[in-house]
Amino acid sequence: MSAAGHEDYDEITGINENIGPAVRGLGLLPPYPPFKVPRGARPHRVPEDHYPRLSLAERDRRWDELRKRMLMRGVDALVMLGNDVYWDMGNANIRYVTGTAAKMGTHALFFLDQDPVLYNAVPHMSRPFHMQEALQDWVSDIRISHGVPELAAELRDRGLERSRIGVVAFSSTIQTTPTLFEGEITGLRSALPTADLVDFSDVLQHMRMVKSEEEIGMMRRGAQISRKVLDVMVANARPGVTEAQVYADMVHTQISNGAEPNIFNLFASGPLEHPRDELWHLLHGSDQPMIPTMRPLAEGDLIVTEWHTKYGGYLVHTEYTVYLGDKVPQRLQDIWEVSLECLDATRESFRPGVTIREAWEATRRPAERAGMDFVELGFHAMGLASPEFPSVIYRPGFGGNALNGHGIGDLVLEEGMTFGNNVDLHDPSWKPDIGCMLSDFMVVRDGGAELLVGTPREIGLGGR
């Protein structure tokens, strides 16, 4: 290329023009050698029908609510620390505020009266631009991350070194310890010794508890994909086909229909009839990497599984049971019928104003009448993470207070809360290791829940 030709090009250095003296004073290395792009060139835009995104109106609603809560707490800025813990749920709060995140690591700064700054990726993922610029329009200031020292320096450049700073980490009703790396929080305290660092994570958890109709629309699309996954599982679960193949078919269906490649599938299979002195894990599915195996499915097998479909960041929960044979054995069918009663009871009780205790007691009443036992029997809130608050799946006094209803029984359901159901029953008078799994995905509504997946009301017959 001639020197004259360079007149039509802009030079890209990767050094952000917005940085102030404190960030410059860190002496950070340039991300890459300067390179040239055609003058006036901008990142292309991925159409919305190619990649899901929420509207600017939804962004503005969230930012306004978040800033009001910051003002009430006397917080001037937020440091949001993300990671890929627990199937990427460690990024849930950042995705909620910025509309995006990355598995390679994402941090963000959010301010009362200025636009946020998003930090992620590494230099080689950001040339000629970072792909997030093409996929969202919520945040325009996207920078290559140099870690906590840069976040602290940016806060100093904005005159916030003596302010109250909210630190946002991730936690859930299973991941109960906030996901703060010791090095990050120690680094923040060291770099901002005069700042008042306070935990602000609970505010985001509370904001995410009730979903907007736009968020529910994302989950409705995810539920449509989840139903396709269910149908593929039933059709492809045939004698001689391996667990791994059926599992792969399910994952393929998710991704090929636009869901994110986030593989949460708790799959288990095995023979319904087996020696009494041999136990199989067929009350609930199993976690990766214990599954899937190369075990071929066989006539008379049972499959129980729970999976999440992730669309636009939103998780939709589904559980289902499949039997390989011409007719479901009667004792298994009996468990299934009670499972349906439990599911219907949840649907009927998921109305605004009903207490959590009233909902779980109604859900469990059919099982108690029938003498059924359960591994999980209840519901857990879901959205950008799972399980969110509130959730109850265990009996009172068992399994950990975060999931047994301790202290939350008198809280009331609100319109727009979203839940995955957990109906995992077995008959202790029959087999101690064989059960059914069943769920739909429910939105709390007047008159009873809206069901998003449309889970079949009969046990699937594999290969049919």
Side-chain angles (χ1 to χ4, degrees), residues 66 95 113 138 147 191 199 217 219 279 294 309 337 349 402 410:
L66 183 55
R95 287 194 78 157
D113 55 358
W138 284 23
D199 186 0
M219 288 184 273
L279 290 174
M294 292 299 290
T309 301
E337 294 296 334
S349 64
D410 293 327

Side-chain angles (χ1 to χ4, degrees), residues 120-381:
N120 63 37
V122 290
H124 64 270
M125 298 292 287
S126 303
R127 180 172 174 177
F129 65 92
H130 196 275
M131 188 61 186
Q132 286 175 340
E133 294 184 55
L135 295 171
Q136 58 82 41
D137 54 3
W138 284 23
V139 178
S140 58
D141 193 346
I142 300 177
R143 307 183 190 181
I144 295 165
S145 178
H146 297 91
V148 163
E150 184 179 15
L151 301 180
E154 183 67 29
L155 290 168
R156 292 198 301 274
D157 278 329
R158 297 185 186 229
L160 297 170
E161 67 272 16
R162 296 182 182 275
S163 299
R164 172 175 281 194
I165 306 296
V167 179
V168 179
F170 170 75
S171 62
S172 72
T173 47
I174 283 183
Q175 184 69 37
T176 54
T177 302
T179 56
L180 284 171
F181 294 120
E182 182 180 1
E184 290 183 338
I185 198 66
T186 300
L188 273 177
R189 289 195 177 110
S190 176
L192 297 169
T194 58
D196 181 14
L197 301 181
V198 298
D199 186 0
F200 205 75
S201 308
D202 62 298
V203 174
L204 271 298
Q205 272 193 295
H206 188 252
M207 286 180 62
R208 291 180 10 234
M209 188 169 61
V210 176
K211 278 64 175 183
S212 69
E213 289 302 320
E214 196 167 338
E215 292 179 277
I216 292 168
M218 280 288 188
M219 288 184 273
R220 190 175 288 114
R221 176 64 182 126
Q224 292 167 356
I225 297 172
S226 192
R227 178 55 196 260
K228 292 177 185 283
V229 172
L230 185 153
D231 292 340
V232 164
M233 173 179 66
V234 175
N236 293 3
R238 303 182 304 275
V241 178
T242 65
E243 281 185 350
Q245 183 60 59
V246 176
Y247 193 100
D249 293 340
M250 296 172 74
V251 172
H252 175 269
T253 302
Q254 286 180 315
I255 297 172
S256 64
N257 282 279
E260 295 181 19
N262 186 263
I263 305 172
F264 183 107
N265 189 345
L266 310 182
F267 188 103
S269 73
L272 190 72
E273 299 298 337
H274 51 266
R276 284 176 55 85
D277 61 354
E278 185 176 271
L279 290 174
W280 284 73
H281 195 273
L282 293 169
L283 300 179
H284 194 283
S286 295
D287 192 3
Q288 306 160 29
M290 291 168 280
I291 48 88
T293 73
M294 292 299 290
R295 175 186 177 273
L297 300 175
E299 192 80 13
D301 268 4
L302 181 71
I303 297 172
V304 290
T305 184
E306 166 190 340
W307 69 94
H308 294 172
T309 301
K310 189 173 187 179
Y311 185 79
Y314 286 87
L315 300 167
V316 171
H317 169 101
T318 313
E319 297 186 16
Y320 196 52
T321 302
V322 177
Y323 176 72
L324 274 66
D326 294 327
K327 184 179 180 181
V328 176
Q330 188 58 52
R331 296 299 293 270
L332 185 66
Q333 183 64 35
D334 292 342
I335 299 173
W336 180 260
E337 294 296 334
V338 178
S339 300
L340 286 173
E341 291 182 51
C342 294
L343 191 73
D344 289 343
T346 309
R347 177 182 56 78
E348 292 166 7
S349 64
F350 270 8
R351 292 173 283 107
V354 174
T355 68
I356 301 294
R357 181 181 293 105
E358 288 169 338
W360 88 55
E361 288 179 348
T363 297
R364 293 173 178 174
R365 202 165 288 127
E368 292 167 354
R369 285 197 302 262
M372 299 288 176
D373 197 359
F374 62 85
V375 175
E376 298 177 275
L377 185 52
F379 37 83
H380 62 280

Side-chain angles (χ1 to χ4, degrees), residues 388-444:
E388 295 183 338
F389 180 85
S391 297
V392 53
I393 57 176
Y394 301 142
R395 298 182 189 277
F398 293 91
N401 287 341
L403 289 169
N404 66 16
H406 178 75
I408 66 171
D410 293 327
L411 302 181
V412 298
L413 298 169
E414 299 179 54
E415 175 94 14
M417 285 182 167
T418 53
F419 293 89
N421 314 115
N422 304 88
V423 182
D424 308 329
L425 301 186
H426 61 280
D427 183 351
S429 70
W430 180 42
K431 294 176 182 289
D433 57 350
I434 296 291
C436 290
M437 295 182 69
L438 172 65
S439 82
D440 208 300
F441 193 82
M442 298 189 181
V443 184
V444 176

